[in-house]
Amino acid sequence: MSNALARSTELFRFHNWEEMDMEAMRLDAMLESGELIIRTASDPAEVETEWRALERNAFGTLFTTYDWLSSWYRLVGRPRGYRALIVVGEIDGEPAFLLPLALTHKAKGLLTIGRFLGDFHGNQNSGLWRKDILAGIHTQSLHKALVELGHTHGIDLFDLKYVPATIDERIHPLIDQHAIESLNSIHVFPLEADFQSVYRTRRSGSARKKLRAKERKLAETGELRFERARDAATAIRFLNALVDQRSARQASHGIPNVFHHADAHAFLQDQLLQAMDEGSDRFMIHALLLDGDVRATYLSGLRFGRFHAYTNSICDSIASHSPGDLLLNAVIADACALGASSFDFGLGAERYKTAWADKELLMDVEVPVSLRGKLASAAIQRLRQIKRRVRSSPKLWALVRRIRKLKA
């Protein structure tokens, strides 16, 4: 068990969920007196100033930043019928936390659900929490405020997926004793400036030797080069290759490619081009090229010191040479050079992730508001428990994968 996973497990094991400590009572009193104000906005642009102010001194991730979510809402969310509900907590007139949510309708419009904005195109959903007030935010008070917002906005259920189990070595403010482990976790490992030192620490000598041999063999077939896109034309070319390669590979396994849709493709392109215009490292794309042809890609971002390896692709024709692993080394080396403190592989437990990194828990939080919401919450939790049992059974999971391939 990794240190991060062990710490999270210990925090959950010994936490007194019923305890209302002085900070929690203070927060409730502030809510009642109006010293803490919780307000909402229906468009990210309405709270851009507060959002960006929080980003300068907050705990969060790439997937809760204004640049990421305002673009996602404009290009993907709003056209698909999602309604933004940005929740901002203010203390003494200054933003203290922000929850970027969205409303969607299910069950033929009978059920209104609040979710994280952009949740199915992100890897985790943390919200933004000002560093100096995080310890004073109490789960019970926060859920009480969400229920009140739910009544105001006609929401039946807040279904908040992929919430980090801990933030700043404490249980995330959204998580209560009813939260359940998400179907997927993330995998993370620490970085330092010297890539070779990280490489030797995280990978065995035999693993490094095997990869060097594969790189030599691949280089014998043509000119091998690793490149980060530095101009718009190159970035678009790499991105198009990523979408095409992922679509081909996932179709062969019966898995849909969420980036194949034109709106999702436009969103990723928008992020890349905006970052280039700004001269920023917040979003980037790398590629492995063989005789000038793109054979593997990695789309990544850097925020709050964490390097997010967002998604990748490989060309199946050279899969035996492990082009993804070769490119990954170049990407990690770049992350080290950029000064990132950690490398985050995002959702999933694929072999190439577990070979490098340690598991970090994500949790799903349900906050029912109405009777319909309580019934939906119970059904959602039962369904996720069934899915978890299937995934934890090698035989059942292998059967699911065979059925997917047959459908493909």
Side-chain angles (χ1 to χ4, degrees), residues 104-119:
T104 184
H105 300 291
K106 300 292 183 181
K108 298 182 179 179
L110 296 176
L111 192 69
T112 300
I113 296 180
R115 300 166 52 174
F116 275 105
L117 194 66
D119 61 354

Side-chain angles (χ1 to χ4, degrees), residues 42-307:
S42 59
D43 190 292
E46 296 174 24
V47 288
E48 178 180 357
T49 300
E50 297 90 331
W51 204 323
R52 293 193 184 279
L54 268 177
E55 288 178 22
R56 291 191 287 271
N57 183 33
F59 296 107
T61 70
L62 168 71
F63 312 108
T64 56
T65 58
Y66 179 80
D67 289 321
W68 179 271
L69 288 177
S70 61
S71 173
W72 184 90
Y73 186 55
R74 174 171 52 86
L75 295 170
V76 181
R78 187 159 45 199
R80 293 193 188 187
Y82 289 87
R83 290 189 292 126
L85 183 71
I86 315 301
V87 180
V88 182
E90 294 182 348
I91 296 177
D92 295 329
E94 297 293 330
F97 65 84
L98 184 146
L99 294 175
L101 305 180
L103 305 185
T104 184
H105 300 291
K106 300 292 183 181
K108 298 182 179 179
L110 296 176
L111 192 69
T112 300
I113 296 180
R115 300 166 52 174
F116 275 105
L117 194 66
D119 61 354
F120 54 88
H121 282 135
N123 275 332
Q124 53 196 288
N125 300 299
S126 63
L128 285 169
W129 308 88
R130 207 173 77 201
K131 293 180 179 180
D132 61 319
I133 60 91
L134 176 65
I137 302 297
H138 193 278
T139 302
Q140 292 180 9
S141 302
L142 192 58
H143 281 214
K144 185 189 301 182
L146 286 176
V147 170
E148 291 177 1
L149 285 175
H151 287 304
T152 301
H153 293 274
I155 301 166
D156 296 296
L157 170 69
F158 289 95
D159 178 25
L160 307 176
K161 294 172 57 179
Y162 298 133
V163 179
T166 60
I167 186 168
D168 191 34
E169 302 293 326
R170 66 182 70 244
I171 294 174
H172 192 287
L174 281 171
I175 292 173
D176 65 3
Q177 68 269 41
H178 304 297
I180 61 173
E181 185 177 344
S182 301
L183 290 173
N184 293 297
S185 57
I186 57 173
H187 286 77
V188 182
F189 66 96
L191 294 178
E192 53 187 86
D194 181 6
F195 166 70
Q196 289 301 327
S197 175
V198 175
Y199 194 24
R200 288 191 297 269
T201 299
R202 306 305 300 192
R203 303 305 313 273
S204 68
S206 61
R208 299 196 305 272
K209 183 178 179 180
K210 287 178 183 177
L211 197 59
R212 284 197 300 271
K214 289 188 175 186
E215 184 172 1
R216 284 195 301 270
K217 288 182 179 179
L218 184 59
E220 290 171 2
T221 69
E223 181 191 0
L224 180 63
R225 191 169 82 252
F226 304 98
E227 182 181 339
R228 174 180 165 183
R230 299 289 182 178
D231 60 79
T234 303
I236 293 171
R237 178 185 170 219
F238 289 178
L239 179 62
N240 290 341
L242 181 148
V243 173
D244 290 343
Q245 288 170 5
R246 282 190 67 87
S247 294
R249 188 171 180 84
Q250 291 184 244
S252 68
H253 291 81
I255 303 171
N257 177 13
V258 296
F259 305 116
H260 183 70
H261 299 287
D263 55 358
H265 194 153
F267 161 63
L268 296 179
Q269 181 171 305
D270 184 61
Q271 288 297 290
L272 282 170
L273 299 186
Q274 278 193 33
M276 285 188 171
D277 287 344
E278 299 162 3
S280 167
D281 296 315
R282 67 177 176 84
F283 210 53
M284 66 197 82
I285 190 165
H286 294 75
L288 178 154
L289 298 105
L290 192 64
D291 286 337
D293 294 327
V294 178
R295 298 301 188 189
T297 67
Y298 231 120
L299 194 60
S300 312
L302 174 60
R303 285 305 303 263
F304 304 105
R306 179 170 285 211
F307 192 96

Side-chain angles (χ1 to χ4, degrees), residues 374-386:
K374 290 178 181 178
L375 295 173
S377 175
I380 288 170
Q381 294 205 33
R382 281 197 297 272
L383 179 60
R384 288 176 186 163
Q385 286 167 353
I386 292 170

